[in-house]
């Protein structure tokens, strides 16, 4: 385990921006006197997202809030952007489309700077799509409010690779996504499924443990004990069957040990 | 275990009535040459439900399809209704509101005839609300697509008591109901949660085992191994947390042993 890794704040979308702002307050607190960079690369309405978060984080006391968009402004050159990102203490990925983040931002030098920042102990936060991209393999799409079928309708892709061994899903209870996360982890029980409700976050420290923050629940789906499943052998279109999943439902303050796969009450 | 008990066909709602009609064909097959009684006591639009199912079951070859409504027709007296129900081989409860079934039909002599029929080895089928009512305790309401909170928004009530030890929920994946069923079984892990998708049924034989029929999935939630939960101690309004649930997702043909709580592939 690489103990030099930093902290991930993985948010299930629609975090409170006006009242208690519990989650964003924690993100702001982590920036301290340093720079918080808002990365709007997931969004087509990049300027609006930037403006909203800039105002919120400024209200929450962050001194330096900077913007990382896909397209540089005319007055910036690449070296300046990289230098600015190198100074960041927290990078916050806004929501939108996770494929925009990975297909357009993945593999760039700026993206490598984000990964280095995390390796050096920095904080990477992300909400909604910005949450899904953090793992090695990410969930891109798959319908909610239905049970899933073999080799049908579940789209996964390589993520930013900040954390291994987990698959992250967001807007979890609100969009009825447990079917798709069960199907996803059944593809490879090595991965632990983390389903995060809206206005809820997991704060993952050094790849090894997390605690829950916010007003919803976090569902942890552990498929390592599965005794039977038809994901590999079933005919395409058959309902995915999986026997022997372990499921934990966590609330604010609960902790989870990612190595032992064991939850702990507050 | 009372080995004289009959068969329950518990349907998650919206079963196919026009194409393959897999589930209703099975209900019709169980009637054989006997009488199939359609009980529309859950529905305020009793006549329409009766008309739809009368036509369907007649098309499926059932010779005698009779109607059991809350209000007797003028030309029927109670003794006639009871005698007719005593002749039934299958009673099919349509959907609507489970509280209408229990509050208006529960405790009546006609309801006792249904329970006797089951004890004598008859077949009781029910869809949607007609499915929920079969157990000792039934789920009445509780929102979907959200995680549940301690002592909040989950309504349970006494059911028809045909089967013990389970809690049944329907329209399961379609209405994102896993949160409410998790909360419900956490109230008492003695009960096994059965979440049944639309156009999907469990056929329970003699209280001891079932198999799955239809195009969706059945979710079995076993809380007996739960290591921690805040259902009893948590403050009202807190998110329900539950550690160590076992979850099985079953498809058509899969079987489940209710005594051992073990699933088996087809």
């Amino acid at each position: 385990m690489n103990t030099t890794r930093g902290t991930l704040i993985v948010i299930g979308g629609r975090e409170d921006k006006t009242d208690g702002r519990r989650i964003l307050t924690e993100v702001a607190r982590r920036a301290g006197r340093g720079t918080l960079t808002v990365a709007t690369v997931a969004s087509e309405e990049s300027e609006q997202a930037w403006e909203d978060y800039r105002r919120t984080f400024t209200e929450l006391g962050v001194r330096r809030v900077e913007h990382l968009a896909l397209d540089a402004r005319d007055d910036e050159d690449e070296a300046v952007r990289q230098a600015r990102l190198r100074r960041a203490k927290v990078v916050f990925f806004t929501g939108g489309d996770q494929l925009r983040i990975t297909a357009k931002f993945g593999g760039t030098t700026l993206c490598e700077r984000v990964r280095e920042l995390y390796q050096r102990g920095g904080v990477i936060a992300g909400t909604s799509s910005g949450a899904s991209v953090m793992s090695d393999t990410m969930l891109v799409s798959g319908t909610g409010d239905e049970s899933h079928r073999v080799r049908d309708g579940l789209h996964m892709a390589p993520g930013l690779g900040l954390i291994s061994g987990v698959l992250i899903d967001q807007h979890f209870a609100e969009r009825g996504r447990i079917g798709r996360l069960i199907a996803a982890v059944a593809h490879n029980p090595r991965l632990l499924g983390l389903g995060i409700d809206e206005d809820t976050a997991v704060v993952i420290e050094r790849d090894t443990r997390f605690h829950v923050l916010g007003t919803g629940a976090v569902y942890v789906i552990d498929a390592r004990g599965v005794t039977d499943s038809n994901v590999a052998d079933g005919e395409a279109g058959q309902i995915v069957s999986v026997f022997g999943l372990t499921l934990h439902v966590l609330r604010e303050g609960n902790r989870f040990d990612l190595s032992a796969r064991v939850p702990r009450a507050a």
Side-chain angles (χ1 to χ4, degrees), chain A residues 17 34 54 101 115 122 129 217 219 222 228 239:
Chain A
K17 294 177 193 68
R54 187 199 59 73
I101 304 180
R115 288 164 50 90
S129 295
Y219 296 72
D222 184 353
D228 197 13
I239 282 284

Side-chain angles (χ1 to χ4, degrees), chain A residues 18-197:
Chain A
T18 52
D19 294 326
R21 300 191 283 204
R22 198 164 182 70
I23 294 168
L24 295 181
T25 298
E26 176 62 16
V27 174
R29 190 184 70 77
R30 300 270 179 163
R33 292 164 176 272
T35 299
L36 189 155
T37 298
V38 176
T40 59
V41 294
S43 173
E44 293 201 64
E45 283 149 5
S46 174
E47 283 302 318
Q48 186 61 53
W50 156 238
E51 192 44 47
D52 291 349
Y53 281 105
R54 187 199 59 73
R55 189 176 54 245
T56 302
F57 283 125
T58 302
E59 285 173 11
L60 290 172
V62 181
R63 302 256 183 104
R64 282 183 81 89
V65 187
E66 296 191 342
H67 187 198
L68 176 68
L70 274 178
D71 301 312
R73 296 196 309 269
D74 289 343
D75 58 349
E76 287 178 332
D77 68 14
E78 181 68 14
V80 171
R81 301 179 86 198
Q82 291 200 31
R84 282 169 56 201
L85 190 52
R86 208 173 268 121
R87 284 199 308 272
K89 195 150 174 205
V90 177
V91 176
F92 181 90
F93 284 89
T94 62
D97 176 357
Q98 45 264 58
L99 272 186
R100 278 180 62 89
I101 304 180
T102 59
K104 299 190 180 228
F105 182 68
T108 63
T109 315
L110 284 168
C111 183
E112 279 311 300
R113 291 289 92 80
V114 171
R115 288 164 50 90
E116 283 167 19
L117 182 70
Y118 179 63
Q119 293 296 336
R120 290 201 318 269
V123 176
I124 314 297
T127 187
S128 193
S129 295
S132 289
V133 294
M134 292 189 181
S135 54
D136 280 342
T137 303
M138 68 178 182
L139 260 169
V140 178
S141 59
T143 48
D145 284 340
E146 67 174 42
S147 297
H148 273 254
R149 293 175 188 279
V150 174
R151 297 174 200 271
D152 180 32
L154 199 65
H155 184 178
M156 291 186 269
L160 296 186
L162 300 175
I163 183 168
S164 301
V166 301
L167 264 176
I168 295 162
D169 209 350
Q170 13 80 10
H171 302 280
F172 195 68
E174 293 80 6
R175 299 190 187 171
R177 288 181 164 175
I178 196 158
R180 81 185 206 181
L181 190 56
I182 288 171
V185 297
H187 279 66
N188 189 342
R190 182 176 67 80
L191 300 190
L192 193 71
L194 301 183
I196 308 174
D197 283 357

Side-chain angles (χ1 to χ4, degrees), chain A residues 241-255:
Chain A
S241 64
V242 194
F243 301 168
L245 293 157
T246 298
L247 173 64
H248 310 288
V249 187
L250 278 62
R251 67 175 179 86
E252 182 165 77
N254 291 164
R255 297 178 171 277

